[in-house]
Amino acid sequence: MTATLRRGLVALVGTTFGWAVLACLVLAGWALWSAGVLDGPIARQVRAASVYVAPGVDLDQPAAERIIGNRRLVVLVMAAGDDLRAACDRTRQAAKGTLVLAMSRDGDDWDTYGCSRIAQRDSKDFGRAMVAETIISRGVDSFVDQPLEALKVVVVNYDLLVRAGTVPDGARTISPSLPRYLLAGAAVGGVVAGAASLWFAGRRAARLAADRRRRRDEQADERSALSAAAAGLAQQIVDLDKRYGQLSARSTGRGYARLVGDYTRLLVELSAAGEADSTVRRLRERVDELSTRATMLTREAEARTGGGSGSGGSRATDHRPASRRGDRRGRRRDRPGSTAG
């Protein structure tokens, strides 16, 4: 079973369809990973929010999010004793492009840990990130029992960093990852390609249906023409039967009997004929041939019937001059051995 499955996979990967399936699987995996399918609760929360509140912490999260607004700032309010550095590391992909501050109650103070997720291109950006991580939590220890007021202090520090140019200005934008754009484009392309395929398939089906109908009409016309020709041949046979009935059996000959036999076999073929064009065409040629033979026999019958009626009529009148007729009679009388008077 394993060898068969391995051969099937090798055969599939070696085809264009297999490569397409593999590319779709890679794209789907990339999209799931970038969308946070492996994220924990912290990263899943801060992908679309500015505040994360750990379970058991008393904080009005909607009010905290209104305080932060759309700044490039993410605050993690953790429970006492949580590892702030590990919590900050879990936001590496989810809070990209922001300044993250993790904070928790530590007795009468706030335990804080800052980490910058803003892109760093050179050493200057690295220095600015260090400064921002240090200054963002300054002054929050004065509001240990008032977490919302502590968040206001954090927002003031962030605005000061923006004015100093340490943190880039601008609102936080939450945009889908590149694989999602690719999947969306693939979905749109698939819909367009499917619609175009259906349209072309519909046109092809309509064209095939029209061609089939045209061929069916042509076959019906050919069958009708064949039936009409066969009916005409039957009438010729009936007329020949009447004409040859006036002649003696000796004068009819074998042509009429052979024609009648061929016509009888033709009737059997006509009754068993199918809808094929070649069969109908062959039978039509056969009917035309028999019709030509019937026409020739009709002419022969007319000629024989006309000659018989002329010989059976009155004797032909002699239109020669009387003097020649008299001379011939005189010669008959003067013939030796003839009786005179």
Side-chain angles (χ1 to χ4, degrees):
M1 182 62 184
T2 305
T4 304
L5 181 60
R6 188 183 299 109
R7 286 196 300 269
L9 290 176
V10 171
L12 179 62
V13 172
T15 61
T16 305
F17 176 76
W19 283 108
V21 171
L22 185 60
C24 290
L25 291 177
V26 171
L27 182 61
W30 184 19
L32 291 175
W33 176 76
S34 62
V37 68
L38 301 177
D39 287 347
I42 298 176
R44 194 178 303 113
Q45 177 71 26
V46 300
R47 279 186 181 273
S50 300
V51 177
Y52 171 77
V53 180
V57 177
D58 185 14
L59 178 66
D60 188 357
Q61 183 173 349
E65 290 183 354
R66 286 194 297 269
I67 292 173
I68 295 177
N70 62 348
R71 295 176 176 86
R72 296 184 181 182
L73 177 64
V74 173
V75 177
L76 310 177
V77 183
M78 309 300 296
D82 288 344
D83 188 355
L84 300 184
R85 181 174 183 177
C88 216
D89 289 340
R90 296 189 185 102
T91 63
R92 189 176 301 276
Q93 293 293 333
K96 186 179 296 185
T98 64
L99 179 62
V100 181
L101 174 64
M103 53 192 302
S104 64
R105 288 285 299 269
D106 184 15
D108 295 335
D109 295 324
W110 284 103
D111 186 11
T112 61
Y113 184 87
C115 52
S116 176
R117 302 303 178 203
I118 300 174
Q120 300 177 9
R121 295 180 297 270
D122 51 22
S123 58
K124 292 183 179 181
D125 291 336
F126 179 76
R128 293 190 185 99
M130 293 289 294
V131 172
E133 293 171 359
T134 304
I135 295 178
I136 191 64
S137 61
R138 182 179 298 175
V140 296
D141 292 337
S142 302
F143 303 95
V144 176
D145 296 330
Q146 298 174 341
L148 292 180
E149 298 299 327
L151 284 180
K152 292 179 181 179
V153 173
V154 172
V155 168
V156 171
N157 294 333
Y158 178 84
D159 292 340
L160 292 175
L161 291 172
V162 170
R163 292 175 185 175
T166 306
V167 176
D169 192 9
R172 180 187 180 186
T173 58
I174 302 174
S175 59
S177 58
L178 179 60
R180 294 191 178 186
Y181 285 112
L182 295 178
L183 288 177
V188 173
V191 171
V192 173
S197 300
L198 289 177
W199 185 71
F200 283 112
R203 288 198 52 168
R204 179 175 176 80
R207 186 163 54 250
L208 292 177
D211 294 340
R212 191 179 299 110
R213 183 180 181 85
R214 178 178 53 80
R215 288 195 300 268
R216 191 182 300 114
D217 293 340
E218 291 178 354
Q219 291 176 357
D221 294 340
E222 291 180 357
R223 293 286 299 182
S224 300
L226 177 61
S227 300
L233 177 60
Q235 185 63 41
Q236 285 181 307
I237 297 294
V238 172
D239 294 341
L240 277 174
D241 185 70
K242 293 179 180 179
R243 291 183 181 276
Y244 276 96
Q246 300 175 3
L247 301 175
S248 62
R250 182 179 179 183
S251 60
T252 56
R254 298 180 179 178
Y256 175 69
R258 188 164 53 251
L259 177 64
V260 172
D262 293 342
Y263 178 70
T264 303
R265 288 188 292 272
L266 178 64
L267 289 179
V268 176
E269 294 181 5
L270 286 174
S271 61
E275 297 293 335
D277 296 339
S278 59
T279 304
V280 175
R281 193 176 300 109
R282 181 180 58 82
L283 292 176
R284 180 59 188 273
E285 294 175 356
R286 184 63 175 162
V287 169
D288 293 340
E289 178 187 356
L290 294 181
S291 179
T292 302
R293 290 168 54 187
T295 301
M296 295 176 62
L297 290 174
T298 300
R299 292 175 182 175
E300 293 178 2
E302 289 178 354
R304 293 180 181 181
T305 305
S309 61
S311 61
S314 59
R315 186 177 297 174
T317 306
D318 193 357
H319 297 285
R320 291 178 296 174
S323 58
R324 296 186 63 183
R325 291 198 300 271
D327 294 341
R328 185 165 185 175
R329 291 192 189 97
R331 285 196 296 273
R332 286 180 178 176
R333 292 190 186 97
D334 294 342
R335 185 178 300 171
S338 62
T339 304

